[in-house]
Amino acid sequence: MLALAGCVSRTGGPVAESSSPATETETSTSGTDETVVDDDGCEFVGKPDEDAPVGLPPTEPLGGDRVLLSTSSGEIGLQLTPDETPCTVRSFLHLVSEGFFDGTECHRLTASAGLKVLQCGDPSGDGTGGPGYTIPDELPTDLADAPTGQGTKVYPRGVLAMANAGPETGGSQFFMVYGDSTLPPDYTVFGGVDGTGLATLDAIAARGLTPTLGPEDGTPTTPVEIESAATA
């Protein structure tokens, strides 16, 4: 779900729907048209045409700012930023607490000069899935300008960000940057990857990818499954 222009597509991250790191386009039934506004003023909007298997996030904070992803390729520790991005972190912790990410595959790996990310968080495994609701954007304002200009920014190595399919469409798909990447400032940065996690990402990237969206954009050659996600 990275929807970066020319990087991810589908839903969830820095890629245009089909070539940016995050785009998503969930489709299902039995959804909800409910809207929840929490204590931080975060508005979570249910999608009536999609399943919401875990419901909308609670109105009270769940607490915690660290999550450990135990994957088939090793552990990835995530440090979250609840003070800077309360809505995104609230939703992410809600999904973690409900076991939403457990048993899901990281469906996208990119390896171009300007985009090096691993994208995860889609229960469908193909870049079209999500939690059945959307979360508000909390876009970064402090990223450095990219050398290429044109309004793009540098998402540095170690960044954790949300994928999306356009404004206010984020859900569950997220991407982790293992090498400095150039993207529009359209993706919420809600934390970072720790040193051990970066080593795991490097190992995943080193094993290569199977091209599906382009010569340097596809699926990890060795499947990467999030076996469990838990607060740490």
Side-chain angles (χ1 to χ4, degrees), residues 119-197:
Q119 188 171 327
C120 314
D122 173 16
S124 72
D126 63 4
T128 65
Y133 64 84
T134 59
I135 64 178
D137 291 334
E138 296 173 291
L139 302 180
T141 58
D142 58 353
L143 296 175
D145 291 337
T148 53
Q150 299 179 328
T152 57
K153 302 290 184 177
V154 175
Y155 280 64
R157 171 177 165 83
V159 154
L160 169 68
M162 289 300 298
N164 63 57
E168 312 293 340
T169 61
S172 61
Q173 292 187 41
F174 61 94
F175 61 97
M176 296 169 285
V177 181
Y178 67 89
D180 291 0
S181 298
T182 300
L183 297 166
D186 299 336
Y187 306 95
T188 297
V189 173
F190 67 105
V193 181
D194 68 14
T196 300

Side-chain angles (χ1 to χ4, degrees), residues 45 52 58 77 83 88 91 101 112 149 163 170-171 182 204:
V45 182
D83 292 338
T88 305
S91 174
F101 298 119
S112 67
T182 300
I204 291 170

Side-chain angles (χ1 to χ4, degrees), residues 34-194:
E34 181 183 2
T35 295
V36 165
V37 179
D38 70 14
D39 295 342
D40 290 315
C42 304
E43 185 175 38
F44 303 107
V45 182
K47 295 183 175 182
D49 60 343
E50 295 177 8
D51 287 324
V54 296
L56 300 183
T59 55
E60 300 81 17
L62 293 174
D65 62 1
R66 185 169 173 77
V67 167
L68 180 66
L69 303 181
S70 296
T71 82
S72 56
S73 294
E75 293 188 340
I76 302 175
L78 305 176
Q79 182 65 51
L80 310 182
T81 55
D83 292 338
E84 292 80 11
T85 54
C87 303
T88 305
V89 170
R90 177 79 57 89
S91 174
F92 193 75
L93 290 176
H94 167 61
L95 296 175
V96 168
S97 71
E98 294 291 336
F100 182 86
F101 298 119
D102 298 356
T104 62
E105 287 197 4
C106 293
H107 62 279
R108 186 178 189 184
L109 178 66
T110 66
S112 67
L115 187 62
K116 299 180 185 298
V117 306
L118 177 68
Q119 188 171 327
C120 314
D122 173 16
S124 72
D126 63 4
T128 65
Y133 64 84
T134 59
I135 64 178
D137 291 334
E138 296 173 291
L139 302 180
T141 58
D142 58 353
L143 296 175
D145 291 337
T148 53
Q150 299 179 328
T152 57
K153 302 290 184 177
V154 175
Y155 280 64
R157 171 177 165 83
V159 154
L160 169 68
M162 289 300 298
N164 63 57
E168 312 293 340
T169 61
S172 61
Q173 292 187 41
F174 61 94
F175 61 97
M176 296 169 285
V177 181
Y178 67 89
D180 291 0
S181 298
T182 300
L183 297 166
D186 299 336
Y187 306 95
T188 297
V189 173
F190 67 105
V193 181
D194 68 14

Side-chain angles (χ1 to χ4, degrees), residues 72-73 105-106 109 203-204 207-210 219-225:
S72 56
S73 294
E105 287 197 4
C106 293
L109 178 66
I204 291 170
R207 290 195 286 269
L209 60 83
T210 299
T219 59
T221 298
T222 300
V224 179
E225 177 183 304

